[in-house]
Amino acid sequence: MARRFNLIQSPEDFESFKSFMKEPRGGGAMDVSVAQGIVDDVKMRGAKALVEYTAKFDRLKLEEETLTSQEVDLSELAKLCPENVKRAIEFAAKRIETYHAKQIPSDHRFVDDAGADMAWRWGAIDAVGLYVPGGRASYPSSVLMNAIPAKVAGVKRMVMVAPAPDGVLNPAVAYAALTVGISEYYPIGGAQAVAALAYGAGPLLPVDKIVGPGNAFVAAAKRIVFGDVGIDTIAGPSEITVVADKLNDPSWIAADLLSQCEHDPAAQSILITDDEGFASKVETAVKDQLMKLETQETATVSWNNHGGIVIAKMEQAASLVDLIAPEHVEFAVEEPEVLVESVRHAGAIFVGRYAPEALGDYVTGSNHVLPTSGAARFSSGLSALDFMKRTSIQRISVDAFNALAEAAETLAIAEGLPAHAKSVSIRNNN
Amino acid sequence: MARRFNLIQSPEDFESFKSFMKEPRGGGAMDVSVAQGIVDDVKMRGAKALVEYTAKFDRLKLEEETLTSQEVDLSELAKLCPENVKRAIEFAAKRIETYHAKQIPSDHRFVDDAGADMAWRWGAIDAVGLYVPGGRASYPSSVLMNAIPAKVAGVKRMVMVAPAPDGVLNPAVAYAALTVGISEYYPIGGAQAVAALAYGAGPLLPVDKIVGPGNAFVAAAKRIVFGDVGIDTIAGPSEITVVADKLNDPSWIAADLLSQCEHDPAAQSILITDDEGFASKVETAVKDQLMKLETQETATVSWNNHGGIVIAKMEQAASLVDLIAPEHVEFAVEEPEVLVESVRHAGAIFVGRYAPEALGDYVTGSNHVLPTSGAARFSSGLSALDFMKRTSIQRISVDAFNALAEAAETLAIAEGLPAHAKSVSIRNNN
């Protein structure tokens, strides 16, 4: 049963709600040393180590020269993807591409009042590694959401790794990979795959950045290789906050809450409403829907352990959302724009009664890789920008040099850096 | 003595140059467990632990209630900053502010062909922690370069931590802090300061993101808290690559190489030139200048252990620079624009014979926090964007819902996520 906080009747509930938001939801208990050992081993022994780990963890025999397996062929697998799923993947891919193409930043150049010709230029990262989990969480949408922003940014080499335990890989993942133009694929996973992407292993040359979700070993390995290569954020369990008034159909809102709960026992769904009666109807609907849900086991644990219902005035809703800083938030209320204007911390906002968050997971075109666990306070969803980098270009004429030299020299001397000062003054004396 | 690679006479030198680029330059040998212990302790015991560590490491007595020390008063210290340094700080601050203000991104909104009203909005991070090292590397320019992009982005709360060993803090750092409008200052440092910023300690409330350079303990602590708060990149030792033809004054180029060498024994300066005679003249000039340099001890170690001279055709220069992916590169050649066009991996490019990199450290206005150790392959210098985050806003009408529902439901079912599918289908049946 979800926790309930009635901030209207019991304002003191606010403190318990704040504590509730700080409760750990797991994921942190990982022993980093296991991942560290695997990363070091792959860094040292390369393809040989990869072959061993893949045989051990995935029961899959890899050829050491190619790091491929006869059992896993993307093109053959893709053929097994049902036609309606193929069409849906193409539909989603096109929309995601259109959306992310609008994110490409402009270069900039200007001459400032000292005569310095200042510019910056954006360029694509050369090579990106895309981690796709195996097993139950092997999602074609994850391939689309991670690869398409890279493609749009201009990344030339997109390397996908996805473990294929016992030779099994989701045909829809294979189809999505071919749709987005993955350049290389290796059936490897875990910390060993992250290490191979970062440092190279046999035929797999190192990439520059690694993105994509994974289990605790993958997250730990990404944290270890961070700095040697770029990584995306460390993703935590998924979250949704739904702000809903009593004019909603309670069963719709219940379905939205459960759509996050089914992801992970550590997922968190929170309802904020100003009507206690409506809250109870949603709670009943959640129970009803849980009974018929194939994913009821996961969803029940998530709802019972981490679910929350907050009764509050609508005027409080925005600040409650900011406190949560949720990955996703839905505004299913009569006047959502007031909330849209006020909320500052959220990965993605879904506006209106016909905007279930699941649409954004697949087909609105916006990215579903979003900051979790309150990271929306300081970070953003995945975008084309994450696959680009900016070079600053400074063209300095003699006149501009003359305008800047004195202050630079003064600061260099003040900082105890005489060679810095000299590199300026030596040009002055000429 | 710097290593020399003559790619014109001995093309096989290219392999040794590649190995040279892979040589570790230190920084990685840090024992993470020490930092982990300190972070855990501060997380647990808060201000009490901070007071103890500061007494132990910095020999400074802090009041536990305020985390301040009577010995360290920013306003009093700032008065001790020499007038010419004050003016230079103001000059630099104004230029840095002008430059970074141009980086503020635009919000975006459009209705796509399915009728979905898609948008994104940028907002500032609420609270940022700025780490300023103590001792020799306590630089006012570092305060400016880290704080001004945050200020320009709209960050309301800017918390500075800078250790004051034995009560000593650089007056220029104090003046810079007041110039940029730091909201809070605590005289703390090391892993303990990073932990306090991330998790809060007594009067110091947690921030959302931590930026700024630091020693190995600080870097390790930033890696540990990453995810709970945002961090900037893990900065390595500084680097410069200078591409210079024989028309340069060798002593100017020598000064530029040494300006990086004096930063750190692990810093790296590399000269790329097409003229062997010129290379030798630069090498002689480096030796001459080293003899008179106050920072000769550090600079000599850097130049002897990590310095490099590459003789190559100018046509090879761009690809050599891309291989290095240097933090800074100077193009002191007759036709620099060819190089500017071709080079893809560099933090900052300085163009022309009057563009010593030191100008960019202080006063061109561009940021001096730049990707090191080849990270320019996948990351960018610090910018206003680093202090902002983007929220995606999706307004979905009934018509847009109808256009998107089928594909979303298909993908949800294909991914084994029935509650996702239900949150869509339940609205269809209404």
Side-chain angles (χ1 to χ4, degrees):
Chain A
M1 186 107 120
R3 229 81 56 86
R4 196 183 272 231
F5 308 89
N6 193 325
L7 305 188
I8 298 176
Q9 286 183 3
S10 325
E12 67 277 15
D13 268 17
F14 184 60
E15 288 308 314
S16 12
F17 177 68
K18 282 205 286 186
S19 309
F20 174 64
M21 287 318 303
K22 286 184 182 156
E23 282 175 18
R25 290 187 281 134
M30 161 72 196
D31 183 357
V32 176
S33 64
V34 176
Q36 183 77 58
I38 294 173
V39 169
D40 291 344
D41 192 24
V42 172
K43 198 173 173 180
M44 183 87 77
R45 295 197 300 131
K48 204 174 279 293
L50 260 189
V51 168
E52 289 173 18
Y53 286 117
T54 304
K56 180 177 168 193
F57 294 130
D58 298 329
R59 301 159 303 281
L60 185 72
K61 189 180 170 342
L62 291 184
E63 304 299 327
E64 195 180 315
E65 298 70 35
T66 58
L67 292 179
T68 59
S69 157
Q70 288 188 335
E71 295 175 60
V72 193
D73 181 300
L74 277 198
S75 305
E76 287 303 314
L77 277 166
K79 289 180 192 159
L80 304 176
C81 181
E83 283 307 316
N84 66 329
V85 176
K86 284 185 185 171
R87 282 197 310 275
I89 286 172
E90 283 157 21
F91 179 81
K94 203 175 147 204
R95 291 185 56 81
I96 297 164
E97 185 158 341
T98 303
Y99 180 92
H100 287 81
K102 295 181 195 289
Q103 296 177 326
I104 304 297
S106 306
D107 295 345
H108 200 71
R109 184 168 173 177
F110 62 99
V111 177
D112 68 23
D113 55 10
D117 181 338
M118 305 294 288
W120 61 77
R121 182 174 69 198
W122 291 89
I125 292 173
D126 279 352
V128 166
L130 163 57
Y131 190 95
V132 179
R136 206 171 127 23
S138 187
Y139 299 143
S141 62
S142 182
V143 177
L144 303 181
M145 292 293 182
N146 282 280
I148 293 174
K151 181 185 173 186
V152 164
V155 173
K156 292 279 182 295
R157 185 171 161 244
M158 298 199 291
V159 183
M160 182 172 95
V161 296
D166 301 304
V168 175
L169 183 74
N170 183 348
V173 163
Y175 190 79
L178 296 181
T179 301
V180 299
I182 290 291
S183 9
E184 296 165 41
Y185 164 65
Y186 303 94
I188 56 177
Q192 62 272 23
V194 173
L197 287 170
Y199 304 113
L204 198 180
L205 299 178
V207 301
D208 301 309
K209 184 162 185 170
I210 301 173
V211 299
N215 63 19
F217 289 96
V218 172
K222 280 165 73 177
R223 195 182 285 267
I224 291 164
V225 303
F226 170 54
D228 291 333
V229 295
I231 64 167
D232 55 358
T233 46
I234 307 284
S238 197
E239 301 143 8
I240 193 170
T241 295
V242 180
V243 183
D245 58 27
K246 64 178 174 188
L247 300 180
N248 287 281
D249 183 330
S251 67
W252 293 16
I253 302 303
D256 297 356
L257 295 169
L258 287 176
S259 75
Q260 291 306 301
C261 292
E262 75 175 342
H263 265 301
D264 189 331
Q268 180 162 60
S269 296
I270 294 174
L271 169 67
I272 299 176
T273 182
D274 56 358
D275 189 287
E276 193 162 14
F278 177 74
S280 299
K281 283 182 199 160
V282 171
E283 210 166 6
T284 305
V286 164
K287 268 184 221 158
D288 288 350
Q289 292 180 24
L290 268 175
M291 283 197 290
K292 291 165 248 159
L293 194 62
E294 294 93 320
T295 51
Q296 63 170 254
E297 198 175 334
T298 302
T300 304
V301 176
S302 160
W303 181 246
N304 287 347
N305 290 358
H306 307 298
I309 294 179
V310 187
I311 322 286
K313 291 183 184 152
M314 271 306 154
E315 302 88 78
Q316 294 174 279
S319 62
L320 286 168
V321 172
D322 278 341
L323 183 74
I324 302 168
E327 185 187 10
H328 313 99
V329 63
E330 290 180 11
F331 294 147
V333 295
E334 212 48 20
E335 290 186 30
E337 294 301 330
V338 184
L339 287 169
V340 173
E341 277 307 306
S342 333
V343 161
R344 287 177 308 124
H345 306 313
I349 300 177
F350 294 81
V351 185
R353 305 197 193 275
Y354 280 85
E357 183 276 318
L359 289 184
D361 283 340
Y362 299 116
V363 290
T364 62
S366 179
N367 210 291
H368 80 193
V369 180
L370 293 163
T372 55
S373 311
R377 289 177 292 117
F378 55 81
S379 62
S380 312
L382 198 69
S383 79
L385 285 175
D386 292 299
F387 298 98
M388 305 184 76
K389 69 267 187 355
R390 205 181 52 247
T391 296
S392 138
I393 304 168
Q394 326 190 22
R395 296 172 174 88
I396 310 294
S397 64
V398 183
D399 286 347
F401 174 85
N402 288 334
L404 300 177
E406 188 190 336
E409 210 183 324
T410 301
L411 287 168
I413 291 167
E415 293 191 350
L417 295 170
H420 282 65
K422 173 95 174 185
S423 75
V424 177
S425 65
I426 201 169
R427 285 168 166 88
N428 242 338
N429 298 340
N430 235 66
Chain B
M1 185 107 121
R3 230 81 55 86
R4 198 183 270 231
F5 308 90
N6 193 326
L7 306 188
I8 298 175
Q9 284 181 6
S10 326
E12 68 277 13
D13 267 17
F14 184 60
E15 287 308 313
S16 15
F17 177 68
K18 282 205 286 185
S19 309
F20 174 63
M21 287 317 302
K22 286 183 182 157
E23 282 175 18
R25 288 188 281 134
M30 161 71 195
D31 183 357
V32 176
S33 64
V34 176
Q36 183 78 58
I38 294 173
V39 169
D40 291 344
D41 192 25
V42 172
K43 199 174 174 179
M44 183 87 78
R45 295 197 300 131
K48 204 173 281 292
L50 260 188
V51 169
E52 289 173 19
Y53 286 117
T54 305
K56 181 177 167 191
F57 294 129
D58 298 330
R59 301 159 301 282
L60 186 72
K61 188 179 169 346
L62 291 184
E63 304 300 328
E64 195 180 313
E65 297 69 36
T66 58
L67 292 178
T68 59
S69 158
Q70 289 189 335
E71 294 175 61
V72 192
D73 181 302
L74 276 198
S75 305
E76 287 304 312
L77 277 166
K79 290 180 191 158
L80 305 176
C81 181
E83 283 308 315
N84 66 331
V85 176
K86 284 184 186 172
R87 282 197 309 275
I89 286 172
E90 282 156 21
F91 179 81
K94 202 174 149 206
R95 292 186 55 81
I96 297 165
E97 185 159 341
T98 302
Y99 181 92
H100 287 80
K102 294 181 195 289
Q103 296 177 325
I104 304 297
S106 306
D107 295 343
H108 201 70
R109 183 169 175 177
F110 62 99
V111 177
D112 67 24
D113 54 11
D117 181 339
M118 306 293 289
W120 61 76
R121 181 175 68 198
W122 291 89
I125 292 174
D126 278 353
V128 166
L130 163 57
Y131 190 97
V132 179
R136 205 169 128 23
S138 186
Y139 299 142
S141 62
S142 183
V143 177
L144 304 181
M145 292 292 181
N146 282 280
I148 292 174
K151 180 184 174 187
V152 163
V155 173
K156 293 279 183 297
R157 185 170 161 245
M158 298 198 292
V159 183
M160 181 172 95
V161 295
D166 302 303
V168 176
L169 183 76
N170 183 346
V173 163
Y175 190 78
L178 296 180
T179 301
V180 298
I182 289 292
S183 7
E184 296 165 39
Y185 163 64
Y186 304 94
I188 55 177
Q192 61 273 22
V194 173
L197 288 170
Y199 304 114
L204 199 181
L205 299 177
V207 302
D208 300 308
K209 184 162 185 170
I210 302 173
V211 299
N215 63 17
F217 289 96
V218 172
K222 280 166 72 179
R223 196 181 284 265
I224 290 165
V225 303
F226 170 51
D228 292 333
V229 295
I231 63 167
D232 55 356
T233 47
I234 307 283
S238 199
E239 301 143 9
I240 193 171
T241 295
V242 180
V243 183
D245 58 28
K246 65 179 173 188
L247 301 180
N248 287 284
D249 183 329
S251 67
W252 293 17
I253 302 302
D256 297 356
L257 294 169
L258 287 175
S259 75
Q260 291 305 302
C261 292
E262 75 175 340
H263 265 301
D264 189 332
Q268 179 162 61
S269 296
I270 294 175
L271 168 66
I272 299 175
T273 182
D274 56 358
D275 189 287
E276 193 162 13
F278 177 74
S280 299
K281 284 180 198 160
V282 171
E283 209 166 6
T284 305
V286 165
K287 267 184 222 159
D288 289 350
Q289 292 181 23
L290 267 176
M291 283 197 291
K292 291 166 248 160
L293 194 62
E294 294 93 321
T295 51
Q296 63 170 257
E297 198 175 333
T298 301
T300 304
V301 176
S302 160
W303 180 246
N304 287 348
N305 291 357
H306 308 296
I309 294 177
V310 186
I311 321 287
K313 291 182 184 151
M314 271 304 153
E315 302 88 79
Q316 296 174 278
S319 63
L320 286 168
V321 171
D322 279 340
L323 183 75
I324 301 168
E327 185 186 9
H328 313 99
V329 64
E330 290 180 11
F331 294 146
V333 295
E334 211 49 20
E335 290 186 31
E337 293 301 329
V338 184
L339 286 169
V340 173
E341 278 307 306
S342 335
V343 161
R344 287 178 307 125
H345 307 312
I349 300 176
F350 294 80
V351 186
R353 304 195 193 277
Y354 280 85
E357 183 277 318
L359 288 185
D361 282 341
Y362 299 116
V363 290
T364 63
S366 180
N367 209 290
H368 80 193
V369 180
L370 293 164
T372 55
S373 311
R377 290 177 291 115
F378 55 82
S379 62
S380 312
L382 198 68
S383 78
L385 285 176
D386 292 299
F387 299 98
M388 305 184 78
K389 70 267 185 2
R390 205 180 54 247
T391 296
S392 138
I393 304 168
Q394 325 191 23
R395 296 172 174 89
I396 310 294
S397 63
V398 183
D399 286 348
F401 174 84
N402 288 334
L404 300 177
E406 189 191 335
E409 210 184 323
T410 301
L411 287 167
I413 292 168
E415 293 191 349
L417 295 171
H420 282 64
K422 172 97 173 184
S423 75
V424 177
S425 65
I426 201 169
R427 285 168 165 88
N428 242 338
N429 299 336
N430 234 68

